[in-house]
Amino acid sequence: MSFVKGVSVAEAAAVIRAGRLVAFPTETVYGLGANALDGAAVERIFAAKGRPRTSPLIVHVDSVEMAHDLAARWPDAAETLARRYWPGPLTLVVPKRAVIPDIVTAGLATVGLRMPAHPLALELIRAAGVPIAAPSANRFSELSPTTAGHVPESLADYVLDGGPARVGIESTVLSLVDAPLLLRPGVIPLPEMEALIGPIAVAAAPGTGPHESPGMHARHYRPATPLFLLLPGERPPLGKGAWMRMGREMPENALDYAAVLYETLHRLDAQGLDWIAVERPPDTPEWAGVLDRLRRAAG
Ligand code: AMP
Ligand code: MG
């Protein structure tokens, strides 16, 4: 399959309709998308990424109405949060309808739905006329791409270039199947969502407990270079390395930090260093998404 990079939504939509894969921009990271209603097309995503079939995919929609059509049940809290945050970096897990093939959700009876806030992503879903299932456009366990240039050449049949991702880390994932449960932190602070729908429980860190949800693999988001998450006064190992300190190499503000995090890791990872030393950000709601990705990157 020939690899095409371009800016044509019409061409990209034709690739989706043909059951093939398109890497496309969202505001969080670049996604590797397929027609979410076509199980054979979605199979290609798992094969291309080397992603285990136990890891469910997020289904991208172009409207709250499209989400209604895919959900078997749409709780009031889902409506409230979607109306407040969509289009935006929030994935809502709800019971799924049968139109969504089991491969999309790793056999779960639930589906993660999100309306992305990138004009090209929304145009692509509209032009394809179907919801698009998409994980990040990287091989399994590698760093997520935040530019079209980061997307590995062999992954997609078409790469739609929409510039650098504005948010820079993956979406907040919130399950509304039972009592609200945060499965993955992102850039939306937990107290802000709690003010809208009431208390939200936080899922145990991946790999640590019996409640691990499918897809929460601890080895996600890892650069090849050893990364050390250091407290003040702690020192990196010997050898050649690079620092990522808040207010120095990195921004002081959590949103700005998230926006450049993967770009920075991609760049440093290409330098053949012995270590990357990261000054640990504060453990506050604003930093939860960034801290989660740094912890996973440090392993
Ligand atoms: P990614 O691995 O970046 O593609 O993000 C997908 C993540 O969304 C998974 O790792 C899961 O944590 C979460 N997710 C998606 N769908 C579901 C679902 N049906 N149930 C629970 N978690 C889900
Ligand atoms: Mg990913």
Side-chain angles (χ1 to χ4, degrees):
M1 169 60 54
S2 59
F3 172 87
V4 184
K5 193 173 278 187
V7 294
S8 166
V9 170
E11 278 180 55
V15 172
I16 293 285
R17 282 197 302 270
R20 313 297 306 196
L21 305 185
V22 171
F24 66 101
T26 81
E27 82 282 27
T28 60
V29 302
Y30 273 68
L32 183 64
N35 177 353
L37 307 181
D38 177 348
V42 172
E43 278 278 0
R44 292 202 166 95
I45 295 177
F46 287 93
K49 287 194 55 142
R51 180 176 172 111
R53 285 170 173 59
T54 50
S55 201
L57 306 182
I58 292 169
V59 174
H60 296 75
V61 297
D62 67 2
S63 60
V64 179
E65 289 67 35
M66 189 183 267
H68 292 168
D69 292 342
L70 301 174
R73 193 163 55 76
W74 185 250
D76 291 344
E79 188 68 15
T80 301
L81 292 169
R83 294 288 170 199
R84 165 68 178 79
Y85 291 107
W86 285 6
L90 176 64
T91 298
L92 299 173
V93 176
V94 294
K96 81 173 185 76
R97 284 202 194 173
V99 286
I100 299 176
D102 287 339
I103 176 131
V104 172
T105 62
L108 298 171
T110 59
V111 62
L113 298 172
R114 179 170 105 80
M115 179 180 177
H118 192 294
L120 289 188
L122 293 175
E123 279 179 41
L124 177 63
I125 299 165
R126 271 167 208 151
V130 289
I132 295 183
S136 51
N138 53 276
R139 291 194 192 86
F140 182 66
S141 92
E142 291 180 359
L143 281 175
S144 296
T146 56
T147 67
H150 291 159
V151 177
E153 295 238 332
S154 59
L155 224 49
D157 302 297
Y158 191 93
V159 178
L160 186 60
D161 191 343
R166 178 170 55 76
V167 170
I169 63 171
E170 298 80 359
S171 59
T172 302
V173 180
L174 185 66
S175 172
L176 298 173
V177 175
D178 300 305
L181 179 67
L182 183 73
L183 298 177
R184 177 173 73 184
V187 298
I188 302 174
L190 193 63
E192 203 184 282
M193 293 188 291
E194 288 185 316
L196 291 170
I197 63 161
I200 298 173
V202 178
T208 61
H211 300 298
E212 179 180 351
S213 102
M216 293 177 75
H217 293 267
R219 265 196 59 95
H220 263 164
Y221 322 111
R222 189 168 294 183
T225 312
L227 183 143
F228 299 89
L229 194 52
L230 302 180
L231 293 164
E234 288 186 323
R235 298 163 61 84
L238 295 176
K240 197 156 61 84
W243 273 98
M244 290 166 55
R245 286 165 294 201
M246 290 156 51
R248 297 178 74 173
E249 298 84 5
M250 298 298 286
E252 228 157 356
N253 165 283
L255 289 179
D256 296 338
Y257 193 115
V260 298
L261 174 58
Y262 288 151
E263 171 63 42
T264 304
L265 292 176
H266 275 285
R267 184 167 44 76
L268 296 179
D269 212 16
Q271 292 178 10
L273 301 171
D274 299 311
W275 50 265
I276 299 169
V278 183
E279 181 192 5
R280 194 182 178 290
D283 200 351
T284 60
E286 288 69 31
W287 286 93
V290 165
L291 199 52
D292 169 74
R293 302 314 184 277
L294 288 173
R295 284 195 179 114
R296 294 174 196 237

